[in-house]
Amino acid sequence: MNKLLIILLAIFSVSTVSADPVALDQLLNEVKRNQGIEGKINQEREARFLAEKAKQQSLLAGARADLSAQERLSAQLKQQLEANEQALNQLQTELDNRSGILKELSGVAKQAAGDLKADFENSLISAQYPGRTEKLAEMATGKALPSLEQLESLWFFLQQEMTESGKVVRFNKTILTGSGDPREAQVVRIGSFNAVSDGQYLRYLPETGKLAELARQPDGEYTNLAEDFANAKSGEIADIGIDPTRGVILSLLIQTPNLFERIDQGGAVGYVTIILGLFGLIYAIYRLIFLSKTDIAVNAQVNDKTISEENPLGRIIAAAELNHAVDVDTLQLIIDEAITREVPVLEKGLSMIKLLAAVAPLLGLLGTVTGMISTFQSISLFGTGDPKLMASGISQALVTTMIGLCVAVPLLFLHSLMAYRSRSLIQILDEQSAGIISRRAGK
């Protein structure tokens, strides 16, 4: 490439200058000098290439020698491995022959340790005595024969579990509150069934080995028992509810909805029914109080010669006294008119209470229909594979029916009581009115 460039330069120089013999000689000498330089460069390159080639050949020979050595070493190690495996199998066979019954006993002990470990993981007693499961796991998963110390530990842990299951003990431990905050508290453990602290039921967390308060406690009846039991002194007899299933029954009891949650399952229809029932109940009680006061006042008027217009009988007697000069027939009409004015006051609210008592079951029936519609919609969308999807509609249907009946029954009793009181008062008014007329007719 350099030669071509020099020749082109030379040609260009020749074409641009005059044909001077001296300049041509100089150009010829320059070309020869450049050819000598290029030759030296090529010779140096060739020498370096040959040196690199010889070095690569040497490295290749060394790598082949190393490969041969490693192959020989691999063959030796393979032979050694096969020999070791044969020796190990022979030793294992000899060990099995010598172990005999001891190996079977070891297998039984490991199995027992594994089963006991599974029981200890969910046992309340492990909250008081931590670290037992780790020792049993080491024994159950170890390949070596259990040591005498491990066998003694297995017996001790089994005896400890049986003994502690029949004890009621107190001990101090860090427990987790419902919000997850730790606090020091005195725990009362009832065997392996329940643990309580400050009237709160606790549950055991196997993953952390700690006790935690239940996020939702049972009804007040059970928490009161737990509080009284925790405050009982040694030797005293106190009632306490225990869960022999180690938490299963307690968890189901906690999931049982309370009164307000049960009412909430009735939905809008249930709340409307309750509001109407409360209104009817309050109004019926108010009317009963009014009728009771009226009954007292009327009975007092019967035995009192002083006329008081603060009661129905007094007003009827006053009307008769104002018209003492009229004949008997006219007096009877006047008294009948006075009684007619008093009867609506005494019978006020009876029809409304009767209406509410009749409407409440109808509202319950409405809630039943809407709940069943919701249930059938869930079935059409999700099928019948998961009963929980249908539980909401069925709960609404049943709860609204229950609320309707619970509202209607008391209102019916109150209506009957109000009707009885009002009829009794009206009968007294009729009797006293008849007496007034008979006395006037006898004069």
Side-chain angles (χ1 to χ4, degrees), residues 334-352:
I334 293 172
I335 292 177
D336 289 341
E337 181 185 1
I339 293 174
T340 304
R341 287 196 300 267
E342 299 296 335
V343 167
V345 178
L346 297 176
E347 293 182 345
K348 183 180 179 181
L350 284 175
S351 58
M352 186 179 65

Side-chain angles (χ1 to χ4, degrees), residues 105 109 113 116 120 135-136 139 146-161:
L105 180 61
L116 201 59
F120 285 178
K135 294 182 179 180
L136 292 175
M139 177 179 175
S147 64
L148 183 60
E149 181 181 359
Q150 289 177 331
L151 292 176
E152 290 178 349
S153 299
L154 175 63
W155 170 84
F156 173 76
F157 291 150
L158 182 60
Q159 183 67 29
Q160 184 187 49
E161 184 75 10

Side-chain angles (χ1 to χ4, degrees), residues 279-280 283-288 290-291 342-359 410-426:
F279 172 75
Y283 186 74
I285 293 174
Y286 165 74
R287 290 298 302 169
L288 283 174
F290 171 78
L291 292 175
E342 299 296 335
V343 167
V345 178
L346 297 176
E347 293 182 345
K348 183 180 179 181
L350 284 175
S351 58
M352 186 179 65
I353 299 300
K354 186 176 181 180
L355 175 63
L356 293 177
V359 167
L411 289 181
L412 285 176
F413 279 105
L414 291 174
H415 174 267
S416 299
L417 184 57
M418 290 171 58
Y420 169 75
R421 285 293 183 90
S422 61
R423 284 196 303 268
S424 299
L425 290 173
I426 294 172

Side-chain angles (χ1 to χ4, degrees), residues 15 27 136 138-139 149 151 173 200 206 234 252 266 306 321 327 380 397 411 419 423 432-433 442:
S15 62
L27 179 60
L136 292 175
E138 181 182 356
M139 177 179 175
E149 181 181 359
L151 292 176
K173 189 173 179 64
Q200 302 289 315
S234 179
L252 295 177
T306 303
E321 292 294 330
D327 58 275
S380 62
L411 289 181
R423 284 196 303 268
Q432 295 298 320
S433 300

Side-chain angles (χ1 to χ4, degrees), residues 259 262-263 270 273-274 276-278 281 356-357 359-364 398-414:
L259 177 61
R262 186 72 74 186
I263 292 175
T273 307
I274 292 174
L276 292 178
L278 290 175
L281 179 64
L356 293 177
V359 167
L362 295 179
L363 289 175
L398 297 177
V399 169
T400 50
T401 304
M402 178 194 68
I403 292 175
L405 295 176
C406 290
V407 169
V409 172
L411 289 181
L412 285 176
F413 279 105
L414 291 174

